[in-house]
Amino acid sequence: MVTTSVPDPAAARLRPFNLAAAGLHLLQALAMLALSTAVALPVTAVFGTGPPGQPQSPPEIDELFSYRLGPAVALFLLLSAGFHVLVASPWGWLRYQRELAAHRNRFRWVEYSLSASLMIVLIAGISGVTDVVALLALFGVNASMILFGWLMETGSDPGPDADWTPFVFGCIAGVVPWIGIGIYLIGAGDDVPTFVYGIFVSLFLLFNCFAVTQWLQYRAKGRWADYLHGERTYIVLSLVAKSLLAWQIFANVLI
């Protein structure tokens, strides 16, 4: 693994960059909490009514609980804000620099595994997916995709000798939630509001931009040979993706 040090001026500029991203995420989270209405989404389950293979009573959908959409949107913004503050803090700053010097950022992958997976659950929820097991599975498979990104960075250096296995496995895992949500959207047809399709398409494209960023980093050509260029790109993409989802939900559901 690469162990060269990060140039001090380049590293130093990332500290205010992270703090600015933290501030923008935090302001939007506070706006979601202050301005959102009490719209809630259900989490449901269908439990068996008899032994396997035997005639059963008609299934009933049980609502286990519901959660307010506004605070849920604020949560993924707060997660990003918290991690940006963490890497810029006295405790995290030297660790963050060591991560970047080794061409990796495990802080990023931990945060994405939580925040991006929560985003997937919310996109599924507004698309009509409410079953608790389905939501847990979507969260888990998306988190697995993110952690394959961690493995890509920690297990292989950029360049022609890079091992692309974790990247390929991550892409396979990453497409599963979108297929599942897409099935619900197609099945519902005109019963789903148009803005939900807008969220689906826009976030699908943005999620794929993260994979493209890592692919470009590992090709290590041109400006992408500088790992810090990729780091800045990840920060901007994260802010754009979370902001776009938050305000699309707010404008169409929470206002």
Side-chain angles (χ1 to χ4, degrees):
M1 181 60 63
V2 177
T3 57
T4 56
S5 61
V6 177
D8 289 342
R13 287 194 293 271
L14 280 172
R15 198 169 202 174
F17 200 56
N18 273 282
L19 288 173
L24 290 171
H25 280 105
L26 178 60
L27 287 173
Q28 293 181 93
L30 294 177
M32 291 296 122
L33 292 173
L35 301 175
S36 298
T37 57
V39 175
L41 294 179
V43 175
T44 65
V46 178
F47 298 108
T49 58
Q54 301 297 318
Q56 299 189 17
S57 304
E60 293 185 2
I61 298 177
D62 294 320
E63 182 174 324
L64 303 181
F65 59 91
S66 63
Y67 60 92
R68 287 184 57 191
L69 194 51
V73 170
L75 180 57
F76 66 71
L77 292 164
L78 289 172
L79 283 168
S80 285
F83 272 83
H84 283 303
V85 170
L86 178 64
V87 299
S89 69
W91 179 88
W93 180 239
L94 290 178
R95 292 170 174 82
Y96 180 56
Q97 289 185 90
R98 287 197 294 268
E99 289 286 292
L100 299 180
H103 287 184
R104 68 189 184 210
N105 181 5
R106 287 174 290 188
F107 290 104
R108 180 202 310 128
W109 302 116
V110 172
E111 188 255 301
Y112 286 0
S113 70
L114 298 173
S115 62
S117 301
L118 175 58
M119 291 167 72
I120 283 290
V121 167
L122 296 184
I123 295 169
I126 63 175
S127 302
V129 183
T130 63
D131 183 81
V132 62
V133 175
L135 295 174
L136 284 172
L138 292 176
F139 187 99
V141 74
N142 192 79
S144 298
M145 174 196 69
I146 300 299
L147 297 178
F148 277 122
W150 170 328
L151 292 178
M152 185 71 185
E153 282 198 340
T154 58
S156 187
D157 291 330
D161 297 326
D163 177 10
W164 288 92
T165 304
F167 182 86
V168 173
F169 286 175
C171 290
I172 294 171
V175 77
V176 171
W178 298 101
I179 293 174
I181 296 170
I183 290 171
Y184 265 67
L185 291 178
I186 292 171
D190 294 338
D191 291 332
V192 174
T194 303
F195 80 88
V196 177
Y197 291 98
I199 288 175
F200 178 86
V201 172
S202 60
L203 270 296
F204 174 76
L205 293 175
L206 278 168
F207 269 51
N208 278 279
C209 286
F210 289 88
V212 171
T213 296
Q214 187 169 65
W215 179 76
L216 289 169
Q217 279 186 313
Y218 271 79
R219 290 182 71 245
K221 294 182 179 180
R223 60 183 179 174
W224 293 100
D226 177 9
Y227 183 81
L228 297 186
H229 176 74
E231 176 66 8
R232 289 187 292 270
T233 302
Y234 279 123
I235 293 172
V236 171
L237 280 174
S238 177
L239 177 61
V240 171
K242 292 178 174 68
S243 301
L244 185 60
L245 178 59
W247 290 105
Q248 284 186 101
I249 291 177
F250 176 81
N252 293 283
V253 181
L254 297 177
I255 194 168

